Amino acid sequence: MERKIRVLIAKPGLDGHDRGAKLIARALRDAGMEVIYTGLRQTPQMIAEAALQEDVDIVGLSILSGAHMGLVPRLMDSMRELDLQDVYIFLGGIIPDEDVPALLEMGVKAVYGPGTSTEQVVSDVRNLVLGEDKV
Amino acid sequence: MAESVDIQALIDGDRRVLGQAITEVENDSPAGREALDALFVYSGRSHLVGVTGSPGAGKSSLVNQLALRFRSLPSEERVKVAIVAVDPSSPFTGGAILGDRVRMRDLSGDSGVFIRSMASRGTLGGLSRKTSAVVQVLDAAGYGLIIIETVGAGQSEVDIARLAHTTLVVEAPGMGDDIQAIKAGILEIADILVVNKADHPMADMTMRALRANLDLAQPQQFSVVERLHHRNMAFEPVAIPDLKNDVDSMEFWTPPIFKTVSTKGEGIDPVVEAIRNHSAFLKRNGQWHQREAARLQEELNDLLFTAFATQWRRSIDETLVAAVVKALMERKISPYQALDQLMGKNQR
């Protein structure tokens, strides 16, 4: 019996830079995970709906627009509406340090800024999903 | 994981339960197998439409457009639409990027559409080993139309034709000369041919090559058993009586060819009509049942092969295997001699 980690990588909001999202998607793929890539300009509802249909273990968001404090609570609401509160969320992009505590408070499991190693993200995702230890 | 699937909720349309059930089935867990057993009686009602073609031909964009059109049919003809999109797994790491949803964003927000991405997980042939089981779950969940998009396929990834009632082969312009068009394999399985990206200058040439190939074809229908005889079967295929034996009145299906530009939504309606006509054709001629019968027998066959291998592996002495493999590597025995030794036959 095979247990594959399934990850959704999504870009909510309006910024069109998806290099970071693709880099992470590729790193997770190379770590043996199945990565569903949804593309640009996803609304929180679209992301939650995709997470439900794909039954992913974890959702990674890439936000470079600065709109994270608006987008993340809306995503959390959409996830709860679909009974997906057990699906982990992590966030990457340009996130000011002072916003991080509030984001973690909202239920985001990890926040990654520029310069994070892909190894770090891969091992955090694996540990979160397989429940080996906390990030 | 491993809790059993709430079958009633799934039948009643709970999409969260459906998503989770598919995961269990895909992972071949005990809960997944139990769910398949319970759901089998509810399945067998959906029209399964396969979409295949080379990478970059525009399969996902076409599937997006087809699903949109089917969902905008008048309410008495409208059914729920499920899409199963298969992308390749890495042969080295087992990981995969499943990117077909990128082209299907028009479908989000419609609760009558369910899209599931699948990795091929080591299966060649354009599908994953579990695709047919996943399709069965969606069928039982009441999705009247299930579109299965294969891995970008080359010449011989023809498994989709065994699973689907109707197979669309999507070509992009400039695919090669007329010899490519008469080779056996992927073009042979087409019930409907689509030349996508038809705004490309080479489109008409590709149309001509495909049409010329169809003109060479003799209209014919292969019976179920005939088809199975070209496969390696663990048992003698069981024929189901042809519902229609009168050759004179037999209808033949000539695959139509269409031009589309799916990114702009052009030329889609005739394809939708052809898909519906093909379904009516299959039902009129007993072919629908024939295809189902062949599919179920092939599915059983695949399960048998897997089960035989598992059973054998459990019963075999691992040290014997290691010794035989070592002898093979040292070229002291041939692969066939190794086989004989492992299967307990006398050494030659």
Side-chain angles (χ1 to χ4, degrees):
Chain A
M1 191 168 99
E2 223 181 339
R3 164 87 162 97
K4 278 274 174 212
I5 297 178
R6 284 172 70 87
V7 189
L8 186 79
I9 296 292
K11 271 201 66 71
L14 297 176
D15 77 271
H17 302 281
D18 59 356
R19 200 181 132 72
K22 284 177 175 156
L23 184 78
I24 293 300
R26 173 67 201 260
L28 295 170
R29 184 203 87 173
D30 289 344
M33 302 180 197
E34 293 181 354
V35 183
I36 294 104
Y37 186 71
T38 61
L40 298 171
R41 298 185 189 90
Q42 301 280 306
T43 65
Q45 290 89 335
M46 287 164 87
I47 295 168
E49 184 62 26
L52 175 136
Q53 293 176 6
E54 301 290 355
D55 189 32
V56 292
D57 302 292
I58 186 162
V59 176
L61 305 172
S62 164
I63 308 179
L64 301 165
S65 61
H68 47 275
M69 296 308 280
L71 288 166
V72 170
R74 283 172 54 210
L75 177 70
M76 292 300 183
D77 287 346
S78 297
M79 296 291 280
R80 261 191 301 276
E81 259 167 53
L82 296 177
D83 197 21
L84 295 168
Q85 52 277 359
D86 55 337
V87 177
Y88 299 116
I89 311 271
F90 70 93
L91 177 59
I94 314 287
I95 314 290
D97 288 345
E98 59 265 34
D99 291 345
V100 173
L103 289 163
L104 296 177
E105 184 67 23
M106 289 171 204
V108 172
K109 287 290 167 186
V111 180
Y112 302 108
T116 309
S117 74
T118 53
E119 289 85 358
Q120 179 70 47
V121 179
V122 166
S123 95
D124 288 353
V125 166
R126 191 174 276 140
N127 290 340
L128 266 173
V129 173
L130 302 178
E132 275 158 22
D133 54 44
K134 295 282 168 252
V135 175
Chain B
M1 286 268 292
E3 304 141 27
S4 65
V5 173
D6 184 345
I7 299 297
Q8 195 54 49
L10 192 149
I11 301 290
D12 291 343
D14 186 322
R15 291 155 64 84
R16 174 81 170 127
V17 172
L18 175 59
Q20 290 170 327
I22 292 174
T23 304
E24 296 298 338
V25 165
E26 209 184 354
N27 291 340
D28 201 16
S29 70
R33 288 200 179 192
E34 201 181 285
L36 281 176
D37 289 345
L39 290 170
F40 187 71
V41 292
Y42 297 100
S43 68
R45 289 177 296 191
S46 308
H47 183 195
L48 314 184
V49 175
V51 177
T52 188
S54 46
K59 294 181 294 299
S60 304
S61 306
L62 182 69
V63 168
N64 175 52
Q65 288 292 337
L66 291 174
L68 275 178
R69 299 301 158 108
F70 271 100
R71 288 296 296 159
S72 47
L73 289 172
S75 58
E76 66 276 12
E77 298 169 42
R78 196 186 307 147
V79 293
K80 292 199 288 178
V81 177
I83 296 167
V84 179
V86 188
D87 268 329
S89 296
S90 159
F92 303 110
T93 67
I97 301 275
L98 311 175
D100 292 321
R101 295 187 80 95
V102 173
R103 320 264 173 238
M104 299 181 188
R105 46 180 300 141
D106 298 339
L107 300 168
S108 67
D110 181 351
S111 60
V113 175
F114 195 97
I115 306 170
R116 181 64 175 231
S117 312
M118 286 185 86
S120 63
R121 297 195 180 176
T123 306
L124 303 174
L127 299 176
S128 122
R129 195 149 54 87
K130 289 289 159 215
T131 304
S132 127
V134 166
V135 164
Q136 193 194 305
V137 175
L138 290 162
D139 182 344
Y143 289 82
L145 176 71
I146 303 176
I147 306 178
I148 304 128
E149 179 185 335
T150 72
V151 168
Q155 292 183 312
S156 64
E157 288 88 346
V158 296
D159 283 358
I160 186 62
R162 305 184 205 282
L163 173 59
H165 298 109
T166 303
T167 302
L168 272 70
V169 174
V170 186
E171 294 280 354
M175 53 146 205
D177 62 10
D178 48 347
I179 299 300
Q180 296 301 335
I182 60 171
K183 284 189 182 167
I186 199 157
L187 286 174
E188 254 186 319
I189 63 170
D191 298 305
I192 297 169
L193 278 159
V194 176
V195 176
N196 192 34
K197 308 189 182 182
D199 48 356
H200 187 281
M202 297 274 274
D204 285 325
M205 211 187 96
T206 303
M207 289 288 283
R208 270 198 301 280
L210 292 172
R211 206 165 264 145
N213 171 53
L214 285 181
D215 290 343
L216 295 177
Q218 305 295 319
Q220 56 191 325
Q221 276 168 0
F222 297 104
S223 81
V224 174
V225 172
E226 235 173 292
R227 200 148 67 96
L228 293 180
H229 277 153
H230 298 295
R231 285 206 76 186
N232 192 11
M233 296 286 285
F235 58 92
E236 186 61 27
V238 181
I240 67 164
D242 275 304
L243 301 181
K244 203 160 179 183
N245 286 316
D246 184 359
V247 175
D248 291 334
S249 69
M250 206 184 249
E251 261 187 292
F252 296 113
W253 176 266
T254 307
I257 311 181
F258 300 102
K259 281 204 278 193
T260 60
V261 186
S262 24
T263 48
K264 295 182 192 156
E266 289 171 18
I268 308 297
D269 286 333
V271 184
V272 168
E273 201 188 320
I275 291 170
R276 303 177 78 203
N277 287 344
H278 189 250
S279 154
F281 165 85
L282 292 176
K283 287 178 176 157
R284 227 174 22 243
N285 291 279
Q287 291 271 317
W288 185 280
H289 293 290
Q290 295 286 353
R291 287 191 186 208
E292 297 261 315
R295 171 155 62 88
L296 290 173
Q297 291 190 44
E298 292 189 73
E299 200 172 318
L300 176 60
N301 186 55
D302 291 346
L303 291 176
L304 280 168
F305 271 103
T306 312
F308 289 146
T310 311
Q311 199 177 45
W312 180 81
R313 188 169 173 173
R314 272 200 208 111
S315 68
I316 193 75
D317 174 6
E318 296 286 344
T319 56
L320 174 65
V321 177
V324 170
V325 171
K326 185 163 178 286
L328 173 65
M329 300 310 236
E330 290 165 352
R331 295 195 173 253
K332 287 180 181 152
I333 57 170
S334 76
Y336 283 103
Q337 288 168 326
L339 175 68
D340 286 347
Q341 289 184 18
L342 290 177
M343 298 304 286
K345 292 189 189 144
N346 291 333
Q347 288 184 27
R348 277 182 285 187

